[in-house]
Amino acid sequence: MSWRARGLALALLGLAGAVGARADIPAGERKSGALFMSKQTQAMQADDTANPGMLAAAEGEGLWNASPAPGGKSCAQCHGAAETAMKGVAARYPAVHEASGRVVDLDGRINVCRQEKQNASPLARESRELLALSAYVGLQSRGLAVAPPDDARLAAARERGRALWETRMGQLNFSCAQCHDDNWGKHLGSAPIPQAHANAYPIYRLEWQGMGSLQRRLRNCMSGVRGEPFALGSPEFIDLEAFLAARAQGMPVETPGVRP
Amino acid sequence: MRSAALWGAWAAISLTGMAAQAQLAPFEVVGDAIPKPLTDTPGDPARGRAIVADRQKGLCLLCHTGPIPEQRFQGDIAPDLAGAGSRWSVEQLRMRIVDGTRLNPATPMPSYYRVEGLNRVAPAFRGAPILDAQQVEDVVAFLATLRDPPSQTGKP
């Protein structure tokens, strides 16, 4: 939406001056983050033999089939083949965990099974094992549309996430929306600003020389504006993830993505 | 790779910044300007230029293009700084550096001389403005020298 059109929309709504009021990126203009990368990095993501995220997914496959402790059940012993049991699962997360009524993201959901079904301790956020499992589970949704469930409890999380998205933060006083809705396609220094769709996570990031979750990416954006990032696994991040999933609804899952 | 590293470096360096419990110099806003300098020492355009070019101090070229040709990776989300000195008076420039949100609450321009009313500032930066009073005056003095509009200086 152009500045003029946005200004008009603001005026019509009588909201001029209300910083948060803005329109979403229209469906026809949505672009995967991969399209903001060099051709070379795009090719690396597209080629399974070159995409380092596939190594993490392969490690995840090993963990899927292994029992976490002697006598404990493996993921596969309960769920069977991930190719069928986990197909489309990552595309639906964050989702409500019915037993607790909580909104959980995929990492959180994997840890629910670790604790409740495997009697094992939860895997730390950003640990190699959790990233490997989420890459493997995520891979089973590759090519399927992001499909956040229609659920009022999720809608509440999404609305909180949207409010965070529109809140200015940090010493540099930027909101997520000011970069990703208002200025996508332009450059910060020389870095192209993507639209911030979360359909390729976890990713292998060349700068990190390793895998990282969506929350790690969000922490980077928050410290970039000299803000204090939310804690890994915090309710604020789950809310932001729920908002981002709704924002990317219908876009194909690309997990595991590669980023510069 | 290089592009990501620059914004990545920004983030990394952000966390090592120094927090000073700064006392802001008092200033008076008149219309869209701050008529009086924040310091007794006049701003130095050469120091101001260095601050504008510095990606950890002024950070200006992350968002703005400007006539600083040796800086190759300049942002394009905000107006070209070329010609700023003919578009605005010194007093108006001072206002826009100190706190542009007083003129337009929706501007993405950071408030360089402000500590109140910010949200979730990282501990290393809490209580300190982005630039101190003398740095603001230096930047304003430099911007005032940028009289040629972008078309005449040429884009980098």
Side-chain angles (χ1 to χ4, degrees), chain A residues 24-219:
Chain A
D24 297 330
I25 298 172
E29 286 177 32
R30 286 187 312 181
K31 281 182 168 199
S32 158
L35 297 176
F36 297 85
M37 312 192 297
S38 69
K39 289 270 174 290
Q40 207 185 359
T41 314
Q42 290 185 36
M44 188 187 271
Q45 173 172 309
D47 176 356
D48 283 352
T49 63
N51 181 341
M54 291 303 284
L55 294 175
E59 197 176 321
E61 181 175 11
L63 293 168
W64 179 264
N65 291 306
S67 74
K73 281 195 173 149
S74 71
C75 317
Q77 274 173 293
C78 287
H79 287 286
E83 287 78 359
T84 45
M86 292 291 126
K87 188 171 182 185
V89 170
R92 288 192 276 103
Y93 274 73
V96 177
H97 176 233
E98 285 301 339
S100 65
R102 279 187 309 133
V103 177
V104 293
D105 64 0
L106 184 63
D107 288 4
R109 187 61 189 84
I110 291 170
N111 267 333
V112 169
C113 274
R114 284 272 304 177
Q115 287 177 277
E116 294 179 1
K117 312 283 185 194
Q118 295 186 308
N119 275 324
S121 52
L123 295 167
R125 295 252 168 191
E126 299 309 309
S127 65
R128 190 185 169 105
E129 294 93 331
L130 190 52
L131 289 166
L133 274 169
S134 64
Y136 182 57
V137 172
L139 177 62
Q140 313 311 323
S141 291
R142 191 163 66 168
L144 301 177
V146 173
D150 189 4
D151 183 310
R153 294 164 292 183
L154 268 174
R158 259 172 228 150
E159 280 315 305
R160 290 190 301 269
R162 178 191 286 278
L164 291 171
W165 175 259
E166 293 177 347
T167 302
R168 298 179 76 137
M169 57 180 96
Q171 190 193 39
L172 304 185
N173 204 26
F174 265 89
S175 68
C176 318
Q178 280 178 310
C179 278
H180 292 296
D181 283 340
D182 298 349
N183 286 296
W184 65 266
K186 296 190 185 160
H187 296 80
L188 197 64
S190 61
I193 301 176
Q195 293 180 345
H197 297 303
N199 54 328
Y201 284 76
I203 55 163
Y204 182 91
R205 191 162 181 214
L206 299 169
E207 188 185 312
W208 295 333
Q209 296 191 32
M211 296 292 291
S213 73
L214 176 59
Q215 294 193 10
R216 182 173 179 191
R217 172 64 255 179
L218 302 187
R219 283 175 64 86

Side-chain angles (χ1 to χ4, degrees), chain A residues 17 19 167-174 178-179 183 186-193 205-207 217 220-230 260, chain B residues 1 3-8 10-11 14 55-56 59 62-63 73-77 105-110 114 118-122 125-126 128-130:
Chain A
V19 176
T167 302
R168 298 179 76 137
M169 57 180 96
Q171 190 193 39
L172 304 185
N173 204 26
F174 265 89
Q178 280 178 310
C179 278
N183 286 296
K186 296 190 185 160
H187 296 80
L188 197 64
S190 61
I193 301 176
R205 191 162 181 214
L206 299 169
E207 188 185 312
R217 172 64 255 179
N220 275 204
C221 280
M222 293 178 77
S223 34
V225 296
R226 299 183 173 177
E228 184 179 19
F230 298 124
Chain B
M1 298 259 334
S3 68
L6 278 178
W7 143 262
W10 177 24
S14 296
R55 282 162 205 268
Q56 283 86 52
L59 311 131
L62 282 169
C63 292
F73 299 106
Q74 306 192 355
D76 57 8
I77 81 173
T107 182
M109 172 77 182
R114 165 176 160 193
L118 301 174
N119 178 34
R120 290 197 76 83
V121 176
F125 296 102
R126 232 168 262 165
I130 305 170

